């Protein structure tokens, strides 16, 4: 099931998305005692994370209720301004009591492939004996080229059917990244895209209404097997739908 949530502007998108995501997380904690949440990088999530942080801090959740993971990471130090961990640390995690959550950042180390394998082992500890990690919520962004996480057009990771986490050198960015693979994303209970700005309108249109071609529009590969797919869009990004 795919649901599209449209908002007039980035501020109302952040308010609406944080309310929805916060409630989904609180509900899951009530049901299972813990919520496993995958965070997106980039710049779009910042406003939503800031509101989500205050929401979760005030929800009266018990210590250890939340586990945060990353959908992808740039191979930079965790305190680098480009780090997706740093974004979440600044906008979300600092607002939460330290005992409320565990955070599991992706780290490339000296060899990205080894970093990917190490992260996969970390995930396997959270999801023992599972074929794929059943995250409760995966938050994703969308690039203007249709990429999501670090699944870029033409990426070999789009064909991955075994690994949960993989490393890829992104030529157009001249850098290495780690990313969850499509099956690891699609095993989630809920996947939520956060997309804002006119610069994304073409990609939103192509991903949601264009020919099915994930090699060209990687975000099309996100189809939760047994889960919900939500798109949170401001009007500027949704204008061509
Ligand atoms: C990253 C993200 C990436 C991001 C999109 C959108 O590491 O950059 O995971 O997939 O979500 O590129 O980025 P913006 O939100 O900055 O437009």
């Amino acid at each position: 099931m795919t649901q599209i949530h449209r908002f007039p502007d980035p501020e109302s998108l952040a308010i609406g998305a944080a309310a929805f995501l916060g409630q989904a997380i609180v509900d899951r904690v009530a049901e299972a005692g813990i919520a496993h949440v995958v965070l997106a990088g980039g710049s779009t999530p910042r406003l939503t994370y800031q509101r989500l942080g205050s929401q979760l801090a005030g929800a009266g959740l018990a210590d250890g209720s939340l586990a945060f993971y990353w959908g992808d990471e740039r191979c930079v130090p965790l305190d680098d301004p480009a780090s997706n961990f740093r974004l979440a640390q600044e906008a979300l995690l600092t607002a939460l009591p330290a005992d409320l959550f565990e955070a599991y950042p992706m780290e490339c180390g000296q060899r990205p492939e080894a970093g990917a394998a190490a992260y996969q082992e970390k995930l396997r500890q959270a999801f023992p004996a599972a074929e794929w990690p059943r995250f409760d919520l995966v938050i994703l962004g969308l690039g203007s080229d249709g990429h999501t996480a670090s699944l870029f057009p033409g990426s070999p990771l789009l064909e991955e059917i075994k690994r949960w986490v993989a490393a890829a050198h992104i030529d157009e960015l001249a850098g290495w990244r780690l990313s969850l693979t499509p099956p690891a994303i699609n095993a989630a209970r809920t996947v939520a895209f956060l997309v804002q700005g006119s610069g994304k309108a073409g990609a939103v249109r192509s991903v949601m209404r264009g020919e099915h071609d994930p090699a060209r529009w990687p975000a099309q590969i996100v189809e939760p097997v047994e889960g919900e797919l939500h798109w949170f869009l401001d009007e500027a990004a949704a204008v061509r739908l």
Side-chain angles (χ1 to χ4, degrees):
M1 175 204 68
T2 300
Q3 271 191 289
I4 300 173
H5 312 260
R6 297 173 68 149
F7 301 88
D9 52 54
E11 185 63 24
S12 55
L13 166 56
I15 292 167
F20 180 92
L21 300 175
Q23 191 58 58
I25 291 168
V26 168
D27 290 350
R28 184 60 187 157
V29 171
E31 188 181 345
I34 188 170
H36 298 278
V37 178
V38 174
L39 298 173
S43 55
T44 298
R46 185 178 291 274
L47 284 179
T48 297
Y49 288 170
Q50 287 167 346
R51 291 189 170 274
L52 183 59
S54 52
Q55 197 163 322
L56 293 175
L61 299 174
D63 290 353
S65 297
L66 305 176
F68 291 109
Y69 311 85
W70 275 258
D72 72 323
E73 184 58 279
R74 298 87 179 272
C75 289
V76 296
L78 293 183
D79 61 357
D80 187 295
S83 163
N84 290 338
F85 170 79
R86 176 169 165 172
L87 162 71
Q89 176 83 351
E90 289 174 348
L92 172 60
L93 302 184
T94 48
L96 304 179
D99 293 338
L100 175 60
F101 67 95
E102 284 294 338
Y104 301 93
M106 285 182 165
E107 296 186 83
C108 296
Q110 295 303 313
R111 288 177 42 247
E113 288 90 346
Y119 200 72
Q120 178 164 307
E121 279 317 301
K122 205 177 279 187
L123 293 182
R124 284 196 182 282
Q125 289 166 26
F127 301 95
E131 184 185 9
W132 298 104
R134 184 108 167 109
F135 294 113
D136 297 304
L137 173 62
V138 174
I139 300 171
L140 295 171
L142 180 71
S144 57
D145 62 354
H147 83 261
T148 190
S150 282
L151 305 170
F152 284 78
S155 170
L157 301 192
L158 293 165
E159 309 289 328
E160 181 61 44
I161 56 170
K162 287 186 181 172
R163 292 175 293 174
W164 296 9
V165 186
H169 186 272
I170 313 301
D171 298 340
E172 54 266 49
L173 299 174
W176 280 89
R177 294 204 175 180
L178 302 188
S179 184
L180 292 185
T181 59
I185 292 169
N186 285 331
R189 295 177 192 279
T190 300
V191 178
F193 279 94
L194 305 179
V195 191
Q196 69 187 36
S198 56
K200 306 291 177 71
V204 167
R205 169 80 191 185
S206 297
V207 168
M208 300 182 78
R209 300 280 189 269
E211 179 190 343
H212 190 71
D213 180 8
R216 171 62 191 86
W217 301 105
Q220 289 181 338
I221 208 156
V222 176
E223 295 176 322
V225 176
E226 288 183 41
E228 299 180 4
L229 177 59
H230 294 264
W231 287 82
F232 293 87
L233 308 169
D234 70 355
E235 279 310 319
V239 69
R240 293 181 58 187
L241 285 184

